[in-house]
C-alpha cells in the first residue's frame, strides 16, 4: 500500500489522539504503510511546533490553509473546534484531499449537508471521528444481534454522562457558546447515536427535551455570561417496525467520567454495555433452568478482532486511543478501496439530521419525524 502524506489541523486533546493514531497504525496493522507526517497546523504556532517535534511531523504552520494546499498532503485530519469543521473540510475536499474529521460533523444542518455534497462531488474518502463504534465489544454486540441470540428487539436505552461541566463555578468556555452548536446534543448525543446507527439503525421519530442546569457561568476576567447551550438532553425514540428507545445525555453528571450505558432488550434476552468498562459485555439469555439464569460477563480478548492486533492476552484491555488507531486503519483501508466499518459524511449527515430533529422536537414540544 502506498504511503500517504498526512496533515493535522488542531493540537488539542483530539489532535494528539489523531497524531498518536497516525504514528501507531502501521505498527499495529502491518497491512497498511506508515503514513508520512507532513505538517501540523494550529493558530498557536508554538504549540504546533511542540507537537510537530514530539510526534514527528516535518513542519508546523500557523495557517491551516497552508497544509491543505501542500501537494505532499493526501489526507487531512481536522480536530479544530466544531464551528470550523465545514470551512476546513470543504477546502480539503476541494483540494483533492481525503478527510478525517472529528465529530460533530458541523454546528448547523445546512453546513453538514454542504459537507456531504462536497464529499460526494469530490470522490474523496471521508470519515468522522466516531471511534467508539470501533470497539471489539461493539463488534461482538453486532454479532449477537445479527445471529438472533436475544430474539426480536423490544426496547433499548442509551445514556452518556460525564462531569467535566458539572461544577457551576467553572468559567464560561467555548462549549457554552452558541457558536459550538446545541450543547450536549451535538457534543455528546452524536456518540450514542453513532452506536445506535451501527447496531440497530437510527430512529424514525423523536420526542426531545433539553435543559440548562446552570443558566450563567463566571468569566475569567470577572462578571458572568449567560450559558447559550444545553448541558442536558433526552429523547424518546421510535423506529419503523415498533422498536422503542430512550436517549439521555448529561455533561454535568458528577462522578461520571466516560459513561455510555447501553441496554438492549429482546424477546429472548438482553445485552448490557458501559463505556466505562469498555472491554466487557453483559449477556443474558432467557433459556435453561430459571434458577440458574443470570447475566454473564464476556471479557474482550484475541477472539474479538482486532483486539489481538494490540495484545495477545484476554482481559488486558484496550483503551480510547487504541480505538482511534483502529479508526485510522479503517480510513486507510477505505482509501485503498475496501469497505470498512466507519461513519463517512453521508452516514454522518443522517446522525446530524437526528440531532437536529431532537432539537426541533424540544423547541416544539412535539414528536418530530427525522428528516421530515
Amino acid at each position: 500500500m502506498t504511503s500517504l502524506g498526512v496533515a493535522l489541523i488542531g493540537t488539542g486533546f483530539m489532535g494528539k489522539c489523531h497524531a498518536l493514531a497516525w504514528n501507531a497504525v502501521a505498527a499495529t496493522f502491518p497491512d497498511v504503510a506508515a503514513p508520512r507526517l507532513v505538517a501540523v497546523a494550529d493558530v498557536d504556532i508554538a504549540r504546533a511546533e511542540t507537537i510537530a517535534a514530539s510526534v514527528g511531523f516535518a513542519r508546523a504552520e500557523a495557517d491551516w490553509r497552508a497544509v491543505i494546499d501542500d501537494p505532499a498532503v493526501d489526507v487531512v485530519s481536522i480536530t479544530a473546534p466544531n464551528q470550523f469543521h465545514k470551512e476546513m473540510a470543504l477546502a480539503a475536499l476541494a483540494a483533492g484531499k481525503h478527510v478525517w474529521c472529528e465529530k460533530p460533523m458541523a454546528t448547523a444542518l445546512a453546513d453538514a449537508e454542504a459537507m456531504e455534497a462536497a464529499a460526494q462531488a469530490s470522490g474523496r474518502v471521508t470519515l468522522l471521528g466516531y471511534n467508539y463504534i470501533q470497539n471489539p465489544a461493539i463488534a461482538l454486540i453486532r454479532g449477537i444481534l445479527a445471529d438472533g441470540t436475544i430474539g426480536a428487539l423490544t426496547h433499548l436505552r442509551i445514556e452518556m454522562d460525564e462531569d467535566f461541566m458539572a461544577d457551576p463555578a467553572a468559567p464560561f468556555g467555548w462549549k457554552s457558546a452558541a457558536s459550538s452548536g446545541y450543547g450536549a446534543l451535538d457534543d455528546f448525543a452524536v456518540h450514542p447515536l453513532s452506536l445506535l446507527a451501527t447496531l440497530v439503525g437510527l430512529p424514525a421519530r423523536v420526542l426531545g427535551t433539553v435543559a440548562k442546569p446552570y443558566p450563567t457561568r463566571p468569566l475569567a476576567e470577572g462578571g458572568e455570561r449567560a450559558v447559550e447551550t444545553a448541558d442536558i438532553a433526552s429523547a424518546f425514540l421510535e423506529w419503523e417496525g415498533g422498536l422503542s428507545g430512550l436517549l439521555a445525555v448529561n455533561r454535568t453528571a458528577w462522578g461520571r467520567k466516560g459513561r455510555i450505558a447501553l441496554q438492549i432488550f429482546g424477546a429472548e434476552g438482553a445485552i448490557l454495555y458501559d463505556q466505562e468498562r469498555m472491554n466487557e459485555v453483559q449477556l443474558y439469555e432467557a433459556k435453561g433452568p430459571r434458577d440458574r439464569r443470570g447475566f454473564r460477563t464476556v471479557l474482550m480478548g484475541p477472539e474479538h478482532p482486532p483486539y489481538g492486533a494490540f495484545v495477545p492476552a484476554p482481559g488486558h484491555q484496550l483503551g480510547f486511543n487504541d480505538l482511534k488507531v483502529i479508526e485510522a486503519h479503517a480510513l486507510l483501508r477505505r482509501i485503498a478501496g475496501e469497505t470498512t466499518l466507519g461513519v463517512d459524511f453521508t452516514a454522518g449527515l443522517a446522525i446530524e439530521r437526528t440531532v437536529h430533529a431532537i432539537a426541533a422536537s424540544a423547541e416544539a414540544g412535539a414528536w418530530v419525524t427525522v428528516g421530515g
Side-chain angles (χ1 to χ4, degrees):
M1 186 177 185
T2 303
S3 179
L4 299 176
V6 171
L8 170 65
I9 303 174
T11 60
F13 165 51
M14 291 313 304
K16 184 174 182 180
C17 288
H18 278 235
L20 293 173
W22 284 125
N23 263 324
V25 64
T28 308
F29 297 99
D31 61 338
V32 298
R36 294 174 288 105
L37 305 186
V38 177
V40 56
D42 196 286
V43 291
D44 183 343
I45 186 61
R47 180 170 176 81
E49 289 171 344
T50 297
I51 291 292
S54 63
V55 178
F57 282 91
R59 74 177 197 278
E61 297 279 357
D63 185 355
W64 58 266
R65 295 170 187 82
V67 304
I68 284 179
D69 292 338
D70 190 334
V73 171
D74 302 295
V75 186
V76 179
S77 277
I78 300 173
T79 69
N82 307 343
Q83 59 266 37
F84 302 115
H85 290 180
K86 175 194 173 185
E87 182 183 9
M88 293 174 175
L90 293 184
L93 291 168
K97 318 297 185 182
H98 305 290
V99 174
W100 185 13
C101 181
E102 267 312 305
K103 45 61 60 183
M105 191 170 172
T107 57
L109 183 57
D111 290 349
E113 290 171 340
M115 292 165 69
E116 195 272 342
Q120 292 283 0
S122 73
R124 299 293 90 186
V125 172
T126 60
L127 200 68
L128 290 160
Y130 292 112
N131 57 316
Y132 294 147
I133 71 172
Q134 304 293 345
N135 191 340
I138 300 304
L140 174 63
I141 294 172
R142 288 182 76 198
I144 293 171
L145 295 177
D147 65 23
T149 296
I150 67 168
L153 301 188
T154 58
H155 182 73
L156 62 83
R157 300 173 200 161
I158 190 163
E159 307 165 46
M160 183 170 183
D161 301 303
E162 292 188 19
D163 66 0
F164 70 96
M165 297 184 76
D167 186 354
F172 188 99
W174 68 268
K175 288 198 173 189
S176 292
S179 59
S180 71
Y182 292 119
L185 261 181
D186 40 9
D187 185 33
F188 260 29
V190 290
H191 271 309
L193 289 172
S194 75
L195 292 177
L196 296 184
T198 301
L199 296 172
V200 300
L202 291 169
R205 292 171 295 278
V206 297
L207 176 63
T209 182
V210 298
K212 297 179 183 179
Y214 310 128
T216 63
R217 285 194 178 272
L219 294 169
E221 61 272 23
E224 60 184 21
R225 177 174 167 180
V227 171
E228 299 165 352
T229 57
D231 293 324
I232 298 172
S234 58
F236 291 106
L237 314 172
E238 286 185 353
W239 281 259
E240 300 293 353
L243 177 63
S244 66
L246 176 66
L247 166 73
V249 294
N250 185 356
R251 304 192 296 192
T252 62
W254 276 121
R256 296 300 189 184
K257 305 303 179 184
R259 181 174 184 260
I260 302 180
L262 173 64
Q263 300 181 80
I264 304 176
F265 300 99
E268 300 172 27
I271 301 168
L272 306 183
Y273 169 78
D274 190 330
Q275 185 73 22
E276 288 183 340
R277 303 181 71 88
M278 62 178 281
N279 289 270
E280 301 178 11
V281 172
Q282 305 287 325
L283 175 63
Y284 182 96
E285 296 182 73
K287 63 183 182 181
R290 287 185 176 273
D291 63 346
R292 298 180 188 180
R293 291 182 188 178
F295 281 97
R296 59 187 173 91
T297 301
V298 182
L299 287 177
M300 295 303 100
E303 300 80 9
H304 307 103
Y307 179 103
F310 295 87
V311 60
H316 285 53
Q317 309 198 28
L318 303 188
F320 181 91
N321 285 337
D322 296 323
L323 303 188
K324 218 65 188 173
V325 176
I326 299 171
E327 192 172 73
H329 178 250
L331 173 60
L332 291 176
R333 297 313 305 174
R334 281 193 179 204
I335 293 172
E338 296 183 14
T339 299
T340 60
L341 179 64
V343 178
D344 62 10
F345 280 11
T346 298
L349 179 56
I351 292 174
E352 295 297 327
R353 285 179 173 148
T354 308
V355 165
H356 288 271
I358 295 172
S361 171
E363 184 175 356
W367 284 91
V368 167
T369 299
V370 177

